C-alpha cells in the first residue's frame, strides 16, 4: 500500500507545482491587476472576472466530456489507444470550430448578456479564439497524464506560464491595454501552446476517426455536460449573479480575494490529475479499496493543515508592502480578506468529492454525477439569492461552502451503494472537527499574530497526543526524520 501511495504522492507533488505555476499568473499579476494605473477600478476587475466566468462555462460545451472519456478508455476498454485519442481529438476540433464561429457571429448579443453592454463584443471574440485553441491544445496533456509523464506535463505548463507572464507585462504594463491586453496575451499563448504540444500526440493521432469508438466516447462523455454545467454553476454562478444582486465593484472585491481562497483548488486540481489515472490503474488490485480509503484520510489531513496555515496568516501576506504605495494586494481590496478561510474550506469538500469519484468511474455510472452537482447547483443559486442581498460577499462565500458540502455528501452516499469503500470515518471526522474549531477561534476572537503562530505550531502535537497516527505511519515518519537528519550531518 505504501508504495502505491508514495507513487501517487510523487506524481501529485509534480502536478501541484505545475498547477500552481499554471494558475500563478493571477497571483503574480495581482499587484498590477489591483492597481488603478492598469485596471482603473474594482469594476474593471469585475469585467475580467466575467470573462473568466464565460470561458469556464463554454469550456464544458467545447469539450463535452471528451477529455474524461479519452482518459477513461485509455485504461479500461477494448479499443486501441490510437483509436480512442484520434477519434476524441477530431470530435473536439470539429465542435470547437463550430462553436467559435457561432460566438463570433453572436458576439454583440453575448456581450450584452455577460457584461451588460454590446460594446464588449471584442472581449467575447477574443474569448472564442482562446477557447478554440485551448480546447484542442489541452488534449495532448491527457496523453502525458495517461503515460504518467508528470515532469513533461509540468515543464510545458511552466513554459506557458512564463510566456503568458511576459505577454501580460507587455500588453498590460507597457501598452496599458487593461482587460483587453490580458486576453491578447492569453490568445497568443494558446496558439503557441497548441503548436508546442503537437509532437506529444503524434504517435496516437490518426487522420480518421472510428464511429464505434465515437459512440462509446459520447456514451461516457455526454453525461458529463450537465454535470459540468452544474459544477460550473457551483463554481462561478456567484460571480455572475453578483453583477445583478450587488454590483461590479463588489464583484471585483470578491473575485480578487476569492483568488487566494482558491489556492486549495489548485492543490485539488493537481491531485485530480494524478488521482484519476492512479485509481483506474490499480482498480483490479485486491487491496485497491483500502488504498482509496487511506488516500482520503491523508488528503483531508494535508488539506486541513493548509487551510489553517493559510487562513491564519494570509492577511499579513497580502498586506506586505512592495514599495511605491503598492502591496501584494492593494488596499482597496483588503475588506474582502474575511472570505478567504470560507473559500478555502469549500475546496476541501471539493477535494473530498474528487476522492469519492472512484465508484462512478469504475462502475461507469457517470450519469449519477449530475445528481450530485445538480443538487449542489440548486443550493448554490438559491443560497446566493438569499444570502448575497443580506450578507454581501460573505453570503456568497457561505453559499459556495454549502454547495461543495452537499456535493461531497451526496457522492459519498451514492458511492457507498455502488462501490463500497471502508473509509476511515473516525480519523476523517477528527480532522474536520479540529479544522472547525480552529476556524471558530479565528473568526470569533481574531487572535493577535503571536497567538496565531502558537495555535498553528501546536496542531501537530495535538494529533500526536490523541494518537491520530497509526504505529506504522509513525514509524515511517520517524524513518524519514532519521534519514533527513543523517543526510544533514
Amino acid at each position: 500500500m505504501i508504495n502505491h501511495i508514495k507513487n501517487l504522492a510523487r506524481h501529485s507533488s509534480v502536478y501541484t507545482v505545475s498547477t500552481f505555476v499554471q494558475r500563478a499568473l493571477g497571483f503574480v499579476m495581482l499587484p498590477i491587476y489591483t492597481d488603478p494605473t492598469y485596471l482603473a477600478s474594482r469594476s474593471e476587475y469585475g469585467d475580467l472576472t466575467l470573462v473568466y466566468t464565460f470561458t469556464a462555462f463554454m469550456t464544458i460545451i467545447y469539450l463535452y466530456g471528451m477529455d474524461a472519456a479519452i482518459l477513461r478508455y485509455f485504461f479500461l476498454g477494448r479499443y486501441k489507444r490510437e483509436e480512442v485519442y484520434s477519434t476524441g481529438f477530431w470530435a473536439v476540433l470539429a465542435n470547437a470550430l463550430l462553436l467559435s464561429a457561432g460566438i463570433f457571429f453572436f458576439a454583440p448579443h453575448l456581450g450584452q448578456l455577460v457584461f451588460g453592454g454590446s460594446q464588449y463584443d471584442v472581449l467575447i471574440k477574443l474569448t472564442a479564439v482562446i477557447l478554440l485553441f485551448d480546447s484542442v491544445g489541452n488534449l495532448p496533456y491527457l496523453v502525458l497524464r495517461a503515460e504518467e509523464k508528470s515532469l513533461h506535463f509540468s515543464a510545458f505548463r511552466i513554459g506557458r506560464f512564463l510566456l503568458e507572464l511576459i505577454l501580460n507585462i507587455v500588453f498590460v504594463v507597457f501598452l496599458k491595454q487593461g482587460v483587453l491586453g490580458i486576453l491578447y496575451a492569453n490568445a497568443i499563448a494558446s496558439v503557441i501552446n497548441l503548436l508546442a504540444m503537437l509532437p506529444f500526440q503524434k504517435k496516437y493521432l490518426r487522420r480518421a476517426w472510428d464511429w464505434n469508438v465515437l459512440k462509446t466516447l459520447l456514451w461516457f462523455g455526454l453525461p458529463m455536460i450537465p454535470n459540468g454545467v452544474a459544477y460550473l454553476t457551483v463554481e462561478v454562478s456567484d460571480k455572475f449573479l453578483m453583477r445583478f444582486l450587488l454590483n461590479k465593484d463588489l464583484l471585483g472585491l470578491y473575485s480578487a480575494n476569492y483568488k487566494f481562497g482558491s489556492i486549495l483548488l489548485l492543490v485539488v486540481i493537481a491531485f485530480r490529475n494524478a488521482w484519476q489515472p492512479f485509481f483506474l490503474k490499480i482498480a483490479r488490485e485486491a487491496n485497491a479499496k483500502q488504498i482509496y480509503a487511506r488516500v482520503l484520510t491523508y488528503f483531508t489531513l494535508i488539506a486541513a493543515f493548509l487551510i489553517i496555515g493559510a487562513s491564519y496568516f494570509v492577511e499579513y501576506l497580502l498586506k506586505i508592502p512592495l514599495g511605491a504605495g503598492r502591496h501584494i494586494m492593494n488596499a482597496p481590496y483588503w475588506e474582502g480578506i474575511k472570505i478567504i478561510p470560507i473559500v478555502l474550506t469549500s475546496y476541501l469538500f471539493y477535494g473530498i468529492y474528487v476522492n469519492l469519484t472512484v465508484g462512478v468511474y469504475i462502475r461507469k455510472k457517470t450519469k449519477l454525477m449530475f445528481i450530485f452537482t445538480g443538487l449542489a447547483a440548486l443550493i448554490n443559486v438559491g443560497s446566493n439569492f438569499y444570502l448575497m442581498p443580506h450578507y454581501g460577499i460573505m453570503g456568497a462565500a457561505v453559499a459556495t461552502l454549502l454547495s461543495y458540502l452537499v456535493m461531497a455528501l451526496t457522492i459519498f452516499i451514492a458511492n457507498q451503494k455502488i462501490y463500497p469503500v471502508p473509509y476511515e470515518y473516525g480519523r476523517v471526522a477528527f480532522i474536520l472537527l479540529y479544522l472547525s474549531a480552529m476556524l471558530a477561534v479565528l473568526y470569533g476572537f481574531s487572535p493577535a499574530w503571536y497567538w496565531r503562530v502558537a495555535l498553528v505550531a501546536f496542531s501537530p502535537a495535538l494529533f500526536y497526543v490523541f494518537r491520530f497516527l497509526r504505529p506504522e505511519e509513525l514509524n515511517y515518519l520517524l524513518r524519514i526524520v532519521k534519514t533527513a537528519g543523517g543526510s544533514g550531518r
Side-chain angles (χ1 to χ4, degrees):
M1 179 184 293
I2 193 65
N3 288 331
H4 278 308
I5 294 177
K6 283 169 64 178
N7 185 49
L8 173 63
R10 179 172 63 86
H11 287 294
S12 294
S13 63
V14 176
Y15 284 128
T16 298
V17 172
S18 68
T19 303
F20 265 93
V21 171
Q22 177 191 356
R23 302 295 184 94
L25 186 66
F27 298 103
V28 172
M29 293 296 292
L30 197 64
I32 302 299
Y33 292 168
T34 59
D35 187 333
T37 306
Y38 305 106
L39 294 187
S41 64
R42 296 195 310 202
S43 179
E44 192 170 353
Y45 194 99
D47 287 334
L48 178 61
T49 301
L50 291 171
V51 169
Y52 290 148
T53 300
F54 176 70
T55 303
F57 264 108
M58 291 307 301
T59 297
I60 300 297
I61 310 301
Y62 270 70
L63 292 174
Y64 60 104
M66 275 293 168
D67 52 339
I70 290 170
L71 190 60
R72 199 268 179 199
Y73 286 98
F74 244 71
F75 292 101
L76 302 175
R78 63 183 183 275
Y79 299 111
K80 294 179 180 179
R81 291 185 170 186
E82 294 84 352
E83 296 172 335
V84 170
Y85 186 79
S86 295
T87 303
F89 178 90
W90 295 118
V92 169
L93 177 60
N95 184 58
L97 288 169
L98 288 172
L99 286 172
S100 289
I103 291 173
F104 259 81
F105 184 78
F106 292 106
H109 305 286
L110 290 170
Q112 182 69 45
L113 174 66
V114 176
F115 300 98
S118 58
Q119 70 272 22
Y120 292 95
D121 63 323
V122 65
L123 299 184
I124 294 292
K125 290 177 180 178
L126 277 171
T127 302
V129 173
I130 295 166
L131 285 163
L132 170 62
F133 286 97
D134 271 352
S135 60
V136 180
N138 286 332
L139 292 180
Y141 288 100
L142 296 175
V143 174
L144 297 181
R145 286 173 60 193
E147 294 179 345
E148 294 188 330
K149 292 182 178 179
S150 52
L151 290 175
H152 288 82
F153 183 101
S154 298
F156 278 92
R157 289 296 194 195
I158 292 170
R160 171 156 182 174
F161 159 74
L162 293 173
L163 172 63
E164 207 161 337
L165 176 62
I166 293 169
L167 292 170
N168 261 266
I169 292 172
V170 171
F171 284 106
V172 180
V173 177
F174 291 109
L175 300 180
K176 292 185 170 55
Q177 292 291 302
V179 174
L180 191 62
I182 296 171
L183 295 186
Y184 280 138
N186 199 334
I188 295 171
S190 297
V191 175
I192 295 175
N193 172 74
L194 172 61
L195 296 175
M197 293 303 298
L198 288 176
F200 288 94
Q201 61 187 359
K202 185 177 180 180
K203 65 179 177 180
Y204 295 113
L205 191 59
R206 302 292 180 265
R207 293 183 179 180
W209 63 23
D210 186 303
W211 287 103
N212 290 324
V213 175
L214 180 61
K215 284 187 280 188
T216 300
L217 295 178
L218 290 174
W219 182 257
F220 184 89
L222 284 178
M224 296 288 188
I225 295 179
N227 170 63
V229 171
Y231 166 70
L232 260 298
T233 300
V234 173
E235 179 63 21
V236 301
S237 69
D238 51 352
K239 287 90 171 173
F240 183 73
L241 291 173
M242 197 169 288
R243 181 169 76 86
F244 301 97
L245 298 176
L246 298 176
N247 54 60
K248 281 206 287 188
D249 183 74
L250 287 176
L251 172 60
L253 171 69
Y254 178 74
S255 301
N257 285 278
Y258 194 102
K259 186 175 293 293
F260 279 89
S262 66
I263 287 174
L264 192 62
L265 175 61
L266 306 187
V267 176
V268 174
I269 292 172
F271 170 78
R272 186 185 64 198
N273 285 339
W275 177 235
Q276 290 177 344
F278 173 83
F279 74 67
L280 291 170
K281 187 176 181 180
I282 70 165
R284 294 189 176 95
E285 296 189 14
N287 64 339
K289 291 185 177 182
Q290 286 70 32
I291 295 173
Y292 300 155
R294 188 63 58 86
V295 168
L296 176 64
T297 302
Y298 292 162
F299 173 86
T300 307
L301 178 63
I302 293 170
F305 280 139
L306 289 174
I307 292 169
I308 291 169
S311 298
Y312 271 58
F313 301 111
V314 69
E315 178 180 354
Y316 304 102
L317 172 67
L318 296 180
K319 294 181 179 180
I320 291 175
L322 301 177
R326 295 193 180 99
H327 301 78
I328 289 182
M329 184 166 70
N330 289 304
Y333 294 80
W334 288 351
E335 63 183 285
I337 291 174
K338 60 189 177 183
I339 72 167
I340 293 176
I342 296 175
V343 177
L344 285 165
T345 307
S346 302
Y347 287 120
L348 164 64
F349 288 106
Y350 177 55
I352 292 174
Y353 170 85
V354 169
N355 270 269
L356 298 173
T357 56
V358 170
V360 295
Y361 270 82
I362 291 175
R363 298 297 189 211
K364 294 190 283 188
K365 300 288 186 180
T366 53
K367 295 177 183 178
L368 292 175
M369 296 180 77
F370 178 61
I371 298 174
F372 319 138
T373 53
L375 182 59
L378 290 174
I379 289 175
N380 182 272
V381 173
S383 299
N384 272 309
F385 270 106
Y386 175 76
L387 294 173
M388 210 182 291
H390 289 85
Y391 303 100
I393 63 172
M394 198 68 171
V398 171
T400 301
L401 174 60
L402 291 174
S403 305
Y404 282 117
L405 177 60
V406 167
M407 278 176 61
L409 287 174
T410 51
I411 196 173
F412 168 75
I413 293 169
N415 194 68
Q416 291 304 86
K417 291 182 180 297
I418 63 174
Y419 189 80
V421 175
Y423 291 112
E424 300 171 340
Y425 300 109
R427 299 217 290 173
V428 173
F430 180 83
I431 298 167
L432 295 178
L433 285 171
Y434 185 66
L435 172 62
S436 300
M438 289 290 283
L439 293 181
V441 169
L442 178 64
Y443 277 110
F445 299 98
S446 188
W449 69 266
Y450 46 85
W451 282 115
R452 298 187 187 204
V453 172
L455 286 166
V456 172
F458 178 68
S459 295
L462 187 70
F463 278 74
Y464 178 77
V465 168
F466 280 90
R467 300 183 183 278
F468 177 85
L469 292 176
R470 294 179 174 176
E472 68 272 16
E473 295 167 338
L474 190 58
N475 290 334
Y476 181 71
L477 288 176
L478 289 174
R479 286 200 303 271
I480 292 176
V481 171
K482 288 179 181 178
T483 302
S487 63
R489 288 196 292 269

